Amino acid sequence: LRSGETFTGGSFGAASATVGETVFTTSLVGYPESMTDPSYRGQLLVFTQPLIGNYGVPRRTRDSYGLLKHFESERIQCSGVVVSDYATKYSHWNAVESLSEWCAREGVPAITGVDTRALVHILRGQGSTLGSLSAGAQPLDTASIAWVDPNADNLVAQASTDDIRVFNPAGDVHVALIDCGVKYNIIRSLCDQGARVSLVPWNHDIMANLSAYDGIFISNGPGSPTHCTETISQLRRAFAVYQRPIFGICMGNQLMGLAAGLNAYKLRFGNRGHNQPAVDLTNGKCVITSQNHGYALDDSVMPEGWARYYVNANDGSNEGIRHLEKPFRSVQFHPEAKGGPLDTGYLFGEFVDSVRAAKQAGLAATLSEDISASAQAATA
């Protein structure tokens, strides 16, 4: 760690070295999904679950939308992996390779035999810290490490798509999904609800063709939201004129908050895991959520027209915002939960239903105007 602590262990990934922000997740299962989550880009991922790798790595099967079923992107996104006990033998009917083989093939260093409890105590005490992971025969020269903070870069730009991609083209409503580092299950969840999804780059000029979209969705993503000035500007302009539903997840929540006038701050060690409680402030219901973020909105003073939507029951941090008049909402957690609990999957249904209702209302209004205009013409 940059703070001076050193941990040694055995290598089970690529024989290489890397630097990243050292963070931890309390997830008990789902390491293939976590490691391929773009929100972990640039990070050394510490698993608090002691035994990792026991069910191997699944085959790269794709669903009807062309998305990988068991991974959240096309490759491993974290810069390195740290575990207490790597399972050298795996057993699962769908596994095709070991975690070690996967990491080595994708050039990701990994270390086992680390006292992850002690490491997590350090991270909880001093906050997420830059770390260097070196695997190989050469000893680590701590004096020569080039400490580079990945959060200083626009990681969203690195994780986002370069081109517009369309999923489920036969869907009855058209949703623009702003890709800040989207997880595949977000795309899948929207498509499963019957939406046609246009995945657009993080800095896409959404205003140029705003009327073509029945709804707008902003995805999760890595790093600091303050780098995404173009996205924030686009959302701020959309808030002023758009009357249809807008929804954001994780990074999407932060970008909507910044566009509304809130500020974002870095959490000491973030919230990453599958067991984070969030309270819906509209009805007092507490849900257990999957989360992966290191930044949060400062909602101590809400802008005019906006209200807090969800709050974290553990640390009181913001878990969502909503507009009081327009159909704009966002959540900090992951309702698509891949992996994690399924408590909040209903939010996708609510969003697409609201998009569908807004579209039908717009068509009804247009039809009424056409009938009125025709009647006036006939009378004249």
Side-chain angles (χ1 to χ4, degrees), residues 20 53 100 130 134 154 176 178 187 201 220 222 262 270 314 334 339 347 350 357 359 373:
S100 175
L130 291 183
S134 179
N154 187 346
I178 300 177
I187 304 173
N220 65 293
L262 292 170
N314 283 342
H334 286 267
L347 290 172
E350 289 184 356
K359 181 179 181 178

Side-chain angles (χ1 to χ4, degrees), residues 332-371:
Q332 187 60 55
F333 51 83
H334 286 267
E336 85 287 351
K338 193 73 171 182
L342 306 178
D343 291 30
T344 55
Y346 62 87
L347 290 172
F348 284 99
E350 289 184 356
F351 170 72
V352 175
D353 285 346
S354 68
V355 171
R356 196 169 282 124
K359 181 179 181 178
Q360 293 171 351
L363 291 174
T366 301
L367 180 61
S368 177
E369 292 171 359
D370 290 344
I371 292 174

Side-chain angles (χ1 to χ4, degrees), residues 101-130:
E101 292 170 326
W102 185 34
C103 288
R105 180 166 54 81
E106 299 216 4
V108 177
I111 184 173
T112 182
V114 172
D115 186 346
T116 51
R117 290 193 301 175
L119 177 54
V120 169
H121 271 289
I122 293 172
L123 297 178
R124 285 183 60 90
Q126 67 187 22
S128 298
T129 305
L130 291 183

Side-chain angles (χ1 to χ4, degrees), residues 63-138:
D63 62 17
S64 59
Y65 308 119
L67 302 168
L68 289 171
K69 284 185 176 181
H70 309 296
F71 305 93
E72 289 306 293
S73 67
E74 294 297 318
R75 66 178 185 84
I76 297 176
Q77 297 286 342
C78 58
S79 296
V81 176
V82 181
V83 305
S84 172
D85 185 7
Y86 166 64
T88 57
K89 294 183 179 180
Y90 65 89
S91 177
H92 194 277
W93 67 269
N94 197 37
V96 294
E97 63 181 337
S98 68
L99 179 58
S100 175
E101 292 170 326
W102 185 34
C103 288
R105 180 166 54 81
E106 299 216 4
V108 177
I111 184 173
T112 182
V114 172
D115 186 346
T116 51
R117 290 193 301 175
L119 177 54
V120 169
H121 271 289
I122 293 172
L123 297 178
R124 285 183 60 90
Q126 67 187 22
S128 298
T129 305
L130 291 183
S132 175
L133 175 56
S134 179
Q138 295 298 321

